[in-house]
Amino acid sequence: MIRVTPVPGDLSDQRADLTVHFQFEGEPYPATLADPALRKSLAEIARLDGFEGKQDSALLWHSNGRPAARFLVMGLGRRKNLSREVLHRASAVAGSRSVGLRARRVGLVLPPLPKDKHFEEAAGLAAGGFLHGLYRFDKYLSAPRNGAGPEEILVGAGEGKLKRIRSVLEEVQEIDRVSRVARDLISEHPGYLHPEKMAEVAVREARKSSVKCRLMSEPEMKRLGMGGMLGVSRGSEHPAVMIHLSHVPRGAKKKPRVVLVGKGVTFDTGGISLKQPEGMEAMKADMSGAAAVLGTMLALPALGIGVEVHGLLMMVENMPDGRAIRPGDVLRMANGKTVEIKSTDAEGRLILADGLSWACATLKPDFLIDLATLTGACMVALGPGCTGVMSNNDRLVRRILDSAEEAGERMWQLPLFPEYREHIRSDVADIKNSGIRYGGAITAGLFLQEFVQPDVAWAHLDIAGPAYFESAYGYAPKGATGHGIRTLIRFLRSLS
């Protein structure tokens, strides 16, 4: 594990391969620099390079005769416009750059924040973002392309603030640990990670994290009438598995019960409604929702979250063999409703329907949240970097959006217009699994709502965009992100 250590001061006297500072637009040098000579040098370098501290900009300077071999200055934009997301992503870029620079010992100097921001929050966002940017999936490389990443990160803080951020940095490291578990799973190739392998990993990781884990196999699903899970998995040689994780700390009975449901399609060919071959390799990431739920659950005991939380990982593989479901088939879900299959590529909502139905009937949650890489329509609406949030409860939405803002993850509410329900009306069943081309993210949300009991506060998070980037996107590197974990942890902490 990478060592993260708080150190007093601006780190100017600390030996490092790279020291990271942050600078606001319109200011000549980072405000955290105490050394007048270093201020003057960096200000001159910035002027010559045209570096103005604008958001998402960076300046790299090779020092001479100083303890730090190099300085990396990250632009934050205007001081008055600083947000948690801006700080997190600037830190993530710095982390990613440090890997390419082969820096083994890195100094990270926290920026001064406006008065309404907390210092501990800055420490968590900056250190967490930096660790997030370090992630690489190099399991199958003969040698890492950029060498190994940092072994030690020194976090520079003012005198008297070290004790205040020590526990924050410990929490950041735990969140990074579980995020790496999730990101590794999303990055795994689908020939290795099928539903049963995911179950093996969940059992192992749950044991290490003191989380209870129970597996539900296909015979039990058949007894419970889970036609969605059984239908989607029918075309695969790998049987479906529902993984039930639970965290029930002492005193939790007096607090809300939360159930998280994650879409876990380990590979999605589209089934009989076969996808185009171009880009299909990215469908290994169609289990990102389940991975995010797993990562969240693994962190709860270590973080002392005092709320009862259950995580359901709905694991299937969607393949097109002779046993696969067909367009026109009718399936019966766990709550008894029937679904006409219009497209076998709209499979995620079928498995979530069973998970949501079972959660409402069996666990009786106060809050029910599902995460799914569900629709390309959500990406059309919000772009690749934002999650769409749909819900039957405005207070729950507000709480989730507040948690996302605090975590530095971008989410936005989409409506559930009731009249759009007409677009998924079926002539032969209670509902059909795909509607018209327009408003596809909303009709998918309306489909899921059919399987949530009206008295349960429910939210659907469509993470199709930010869960996995098929190419580098702005500040985000290519690959798995673990999106949603930080927001869910913030949300659960707010309940406890």
Side-chain angles (χ1 to χ4, degrees), residues 412-432:
W412 196 263
Q413 184 177 7
L414 294 176
L416 287 174
F417 296 131
E419 63 269 25
Y420 284 19
R421 169 65 169 75
E422 178 66 19
H423 297 311
I424 50 174
R425 184 182 65 83
S426 170
D427 293 329
V428 299
D430 296 324
I431 194 171
K432 61 185 179 183

Side-chain angles (χ1 to χ4, degrees), residues 65-375:
R66 296 185 179 277
R70 290 162 294 189
F71 290 91
L72 179 63
V73 184
M74 301 302 305
L76 294 176
R78 293 286 176 183
R79 184 185 286 263
K80 66 179 181 180
N81 296 330
L82 179 65
S83 68
R84 296 170 177 90
E85 182 192 0
V86 168
L87 177 54
H88 184 273
R89 76 191 198 192
S91 303
V93 171
S96 184
R97 289 284 297 273
S98 74
V99 177
L101 293 169
R102 300 176 182 268
R104 306 296 282 164
R105 193 170 198 253
V106 177
L108 182 65
V109 185
L110 299 179
L113 293 183
K115 292 181 180 179
D116 63 333
K117 310 286 185 185
H118 295 290
F119 181 78
E120 294 93 332
E121 189 175 33
L125 288 165
F130 192 89
L131 289 170
H132 186 83
L134 296 180
Y135 176 79
R136 298 290 185 276
F137 185 74
D138 53 17
K139 176 179 176 181
Y140 297 106
L141 295 177
S142 300
R145 287 196 180 95
N146 295 311
E151 295 178 344
E152 183 177 17
I153 302 170
L154 306 177
V155 179
E159 294 284 356
K161 295 179 178 178
L162 299 185
K163 289 183 179 179
R164 288 165 54 189
I165 68 169
R166 202 176 299 276
S167 61
V168 173
L169 296 179
E170 290 174 357
E171 178 171 319
V172 161
Q173 287 180 277
E174 175 62 18
I175 293 174
D176 180 66
R177 181 187 74 83
V178 300
S179 295
R180 285 173 178 269
V181 172
R183 294 170 85 178
D184 281 349
L185 289 168
I186 297 167
S187 302
E188 267 292 359
H189 73 87
Y192 172 83
L193 190 73
H194 49 76
E196 292 167 307
K197 178 60 71 173
M198 183 74 171
E200 290 177 20
V201 174
V203 169
R204 182 179 69 243
E205 294 295 332
R207 186 180 299 116
K208 290 185 339 191
S209 296
S210 300
V211 172
K212 290 184 179 179
C213 182
R214 185 176 84 85
L215 305 181
M216 183 186 294
S217 61
E218 287 195 348
E220 187 173 357
M221 291 180 205
K222 186 174 182 179
R223 181 177 61 81
L224 294 169
M226 291 188 171
M229 289 287 284
L230 295 171
V232 174
S233 71
R234 222 162 66 191
S236 172
E237 66 176 350
H238 300 293
V241 182
M242 189 179 91
I243 304 166
H244 178 193
L245 303 161
S246 55
H247 166 74
V248 188
R250 290 181 181 178
K253 298 295 184 183
K254 300 177 182 178
K255 295 173 182 174
R257 176 182 294 166
V258 182
V259 178
L260 310 174
V261 183
K263 174 187 172 183
V265 182
T266 57
F267 192 70
D268 181 20
T269 65
I272 297 298
S273 306
L274 193 66
K275 294 178 180 291
Q276 293 295 317
E278 183 180 354
M280 195 191 289
E281 68 277 2
M283 289 300 100
K284 67 181 184 179
D286 212 16
M287 38 65 69
S288 296
V293 171
L294 174 61
T296 301
M297 295 298 300
L298 296 178
L300 301 184
L303 298 182
I305 302 297
V307 178
E308 179 179 351
V309 187
H310 297 264
L312 305 181
L313 281 55
M314 315 303 292
M315 307 307 305
V316 298
E317 184 181 52
N318 189 20
M319 300 291 280
D321 86 346
R323 299 176 59 249
I325 55 172
R326 298 160 290 266
D329 281 353
V330 175
L331 303 178
R332 188 178 296 277
M333 303 293 111
N335 69 346
K337 289 189 177 182
T338 55
V339 176
E340 177 190 3
I341 305 303
K342 295 293 288 184
S343 169
T344 64
D345 195 22
E347 84 297 331
R349 63 201 70 184
L350 299 175
I351 64 175
L352 289 174
D354 280 339
L356 295 171
S357 299
W358 188 84
C360 288
T362 307
L363 299 174
K364 303 189 183 305
D366 298 293
F367 297 109
L368 177 61
I369 302 172
D370 72 79
L371 286 83
T373 48
L374 204 64
T375 66

